Amino acid sequence: MTLFGLSFFVLASSFFIVYSGPTGVHLRNMESFIQAVQQVEDSNPGLCPLALVRALRKTAGHDDEMTIHFLGASYSIAYAEILEKAILNASSFSFFDKAIHHIVTDYGEERGVVLAPDGTTVALAPLLLGIETGLKAKVEGTSPVGMFPLTLGRRLGLSFLSLQDFPPSNRLGPNGCWDSVERPKLFKLSRPATLATDAVINGGMDGAILGMDYSNLLASEQPPALSEFLKGYYSYVLHEGQGLDDITSHVSPRRREISRSILEPLDLYSQVMETLALVWKLEKTEWIALDTGVGKAVKDGLQEFVNKFWVCPQIIPRCQWGAKAYQSTPIPLSLPVQFLYVHHTYEPSSPCLSFPNCSRNMRAMQRFHQEDRGWSDIGYSFVIGSDGYIYEGRGWNYLGTHTRGHNSIGYGVSIIGNYTAALPSHHAMDLLRHRLVQCAVDGGGLAANFTIQGHRQVVNYTSCPGDAFFSEIRSWEHFRE
């Protein structure tokens, strides 16, 4: 037993192995996981989703005391026969006993996580616990008791406490990067891990969303197959002329706003404190609650969680979109800056609708800026795709090459596409107008009384950000002629 009950989730060192053909290619992506789930379903006609997720929990050995408290034992007599059938008839899926275990190695490799089609990384354990909680509620006709503790509350609370002597910004995360986004095998974190890495929180948010979606089905509705439910959330496709505005179902790029709408009405502070009290009761370490620093650590940690994962948008890091190295020494910005300069890329001229497409656009722009224009790096501070994400360029802290004569006093943010005659998607504009700027102000990068200007206002030879888009930003708060 360790301080603050950190033993609650002691997981075996493991990695995700997917056999995608006779030669056995080891990939760690969501598509491969869904394919494996579908093959189990196909091998067991009539297998209900709740039995399947319980089978996965049984295989992964995730019957810790808190999970049993809310969900019951996966090996209960009532499910023993169908669980045995589900596993033994799918001998090729023996990798499930390793797929869901989450651990970070001494070398900073995070295991038990997969790369989603949208370019984000998701831990499978909290995702499946949330889905099981929702399915249990649906089948039993009850409320999804335990949803927050099992998906997010336990990890958040213990992370806040285990690192309470550190700044709040270091009590969550980090993110990391894959060795290859086309054939992902290894995920390396960017700094030492907390108990609540970005992948764990992504998985927790997704588990809460999909679990609630299952629990909210009408009593007369049969729960869709697990593989189909996962496909609908992770493997949606945007077609030309579409944006996220056109999708009414829940999809992964909207996990932050959807999870916020589900969980923010809860009293998160009370939820986390109650979750910790239950952890300590089950582990017989109730004395920890007497620590007078617990409440403050949870309060500070929750503020950081809300800012980082609900106020701020998801930003795809440079290593994830395949950026080349900066060609000289980056020059730090003096923060906070006073201006935000709005651009369109013009070329590429079409909005990018997927992570692979947006990443290709980013690499093409970086190549043009470095090789043709002779700049040290891609010029923009950030670039916004129509896939629902923001892509890191020079980032928060370094001088860009985006607005001649004004680079040192502002960020340059561009939306991919040509917006001379048409507007970007509403979602892409909202990411810039509300989400990114609020994150920048809260993080100290942008002055509270900042000014928004179009590129054309301060550089004479350009029509950027396009006539249609410029007309739109003139109505925005903080815009100045």
Side-chain angles (χ1 to χ4, degrees):
M1 190 69 64
T2 56
L3 188 59
F4 300 128
L6 299 185
S7 63
F8 84 91
F9 218 54
V10 178
L11 302 174
S13 176
S14 60
F15 57 92
F16 187 52
I17 303 176
V18 173
Y19 294 98
S20 60
T23 57
V25 179
H26 301 177
L27 298 180
R28 294 170 59 190
N29 54 33
M30 186 62 76
E31 295 99 320
S32 296
F33 179 74
I34 293 173
Q35 181 183 19
V37 169
Q38 184 173 356
Q39 290 179 6
V40 172
E41 293 167 340
D42 292 344
S43 299
N44 297 271
L47 179 65
C48 72
L50 180 57
L52 177 51
V53 292
R54 281 184 168 169
L56 293 177
R57 173 157 62 96
K58 176 178 183 286
T59 308
H62 281 174
D63 273 324
D64 57 86
E65 290 180 319
M66 176 170 279
T67 302
I68 293 173
H69 175 83
F70 286 115
L71 299 179
S74 64
Y75 48 81
S76 62
I77 295 175
Y79 278 89
E81 183 177 348
I82 197 166
L83 291 176
E84 195 73 10
K85 177 178 182 289
I87 296 302
L88 295 182
N89 279 6
S91 59
S92 62
F93 300 122
S94 62
F95 64 86
F96 276 129
D97 66 348
K98 298 177 180 179
I100 305 162
H101 285 303
H102 180 268
I103 194 169
V104 177
T105 71
D106 292 340
Y107 302 100
E109 178 191 351
E110 187 172 14
R111 298 174 178 174
V113 301
V114 293
L115 176 64
D118 65 0
T120 59
T121 301
V122 177
L124 293 173
L127 166 66
L128 293 173
L129 286 175
I131 289 174
E132 183 177 347
T133 303
L135 282 166
K136 180 175 182 288
K138 159 65 178 169
V139 169
E140 297 176 355
T142 60
S143 60
V145 178
M147 181 67 75
F148 180 72
L150 291 174
T151 56
L152 287 168
R154 173 169 51 177
R155 284 280 188 160
L156 290 177
L158 292 172
S159 188
F160 298 156
L161 297 186
S162 65
L163 298 171
Q164 63 179 304
D165 294 331
F166 290 77
S169 59
N170 291 336
R171 297 179 198 172
L172 296 172
N175 201 350
C177 278
W178 290 92
D179 54 342
S180 166
V181 294
E182 289 81 18
R183 304 181 66 77
K185 299 177 185 178
L186 184 147
F187 186 69
K188 188 74 177 292
L189 294 173
S190 61
R191 60 174 171 81
T194 69
L195 289 174
T197 64
D198 283 22
V200 166
I201 293 177
N202 285 341
M205 290 190 286
D206 290 351
I209 293 166
L210 294 178
M212 292 303 297
D213 284 350
Y214 263 126
S215 72
N216 289 333
L217 292 172
L218 297 176
S220 59
E221 291 183 88
Q222 283 293 107
L226 178 60
S227 61
E228 290 304 310
F229 221 55
L230 293 173
K231 285 179 187 177
Y233 184 75
Y234 291 110
S235 301
Y236 65 94
V237 176
L238 289 175
H239 300 286
E240 187 175 352
Q242 282 188 315
L244 283 180
D245 313 335
D246 302 308
I247 295 185
T248 57
S249 60
H250 289 169
V251 290
S252 55
R254 285 188 150 155
R255 68 166 57 90
R256 295 189 177 204
E257 59 195 87
I258 300 169
S259 64
R260 185 174 192 175
S261 71
I262 293 171
L263 299 173
E264 194 170 41
L266 305 175
D267 181 348
L268 290 186
Y269 176 81
S270 296
Q271 290 281 323
V272 172
M273 293 297 287
E274 289 171 10
T275 300
L276 290 173
L278 179 59
V279 169
W280 298 329
K281 178 181 178 181
L282 294 172
E283 294 191 338
K284 297 180 172 55
T285 56
E286 294 97 327
W287 55 269
I288 297 175
L290 301 175
D291 186 338
T292 57
V294 169
K296 184 178 187 305
V298 170
K299 182 178 180 181
D300 292 346
L302 280 172
Q303 183 177 354
E304 178 64 18
F305 167 74
V306 169
N307 287 339
K308 182 175 181 181
F309 291 95
W310 284 351
V311 173
C312 289
Q314 174 83 53
I315 297 175
I316 303 295
R318 292 169 58 88
C319 57
Q320 196 77 337
W321 59 260
K324 291 183 178 179
Y326 198 89
Q327 291 185 344
S328 62
T329 302
I331 301 173
L333 279 171
S334 179
L335 302 178
V337 294
Q338 185 63 48
F339 292 88
L340 189 144
Y341 299 110
V342 177
H343 300 248
H344 69 166
T345 61
Y346 189 75
E347 289 290 344
S349 60
S350 298
C352 65
L353 303 177
S354 67
F355 167 67
N357 189 17
C358 293
S359 295
R360 282 193 296 271
N361 288 172
M362 291 296 292
R363 292 192 296 272
M365 287 187 288
Q366 186 189 42
R367 184 166 54 249
F368 174 69
H369 288 175
Q370 287 183 324
E371 297 178 7
D372 292 28
R373 294 198 166 176
W375 298 347
S376 298
D377 195 7
I378 188 170
Y380 306 117
S381 306
F382 297 97
V383 178
I384 299 175
S386 294
D387 62 336
Y389 291 109
I390 296 175
Y391 289 75
E392 182 185 22
R394 302 283 181 106
W396 297 117
N397 298 312
Y398 296 111
L399 182 76
T401 311
H402 47 78
T403 312
R404 185 186 294 272
H406 297 75
N407 295 313
S408 64
I409 58 174
Y411 291 123
V413 181
S414 189
I415 299 183
I416 293 177
N418 178 355
Y419 300 109
T420 301
L423 286 174
S425 70
H426 175 79
H427 193 272
M429 291 191 291
D430 182 70
L431 282 176
L432 172 55
R433 181 180 182 179
H434 299 298
R435 305 285 302 284
L436 186 67
V437 297
Q438 187 61 57
C439 184
V441 171
D442 291 348
L446 192 60
N449 62 341
F450 69 94
T451 295
I452 289 179
Q453 290 187 313
H455 186 196
R456 64 171 67 181
Q457 290 177 263
V458 292
V459 176
N460 292 328
Y461 56 80
T462 182
S463 61
C464 179
D467 292 344
F469 192 19
F470 182 66
S471 179
E472 165 68 21
I473 69 170
R474 294 179 76 174
S475 67
W476 291 7
E477 305 87 347
H478 294 274
F479 178 85
R480 299 291 182 271
E481 293 287 358

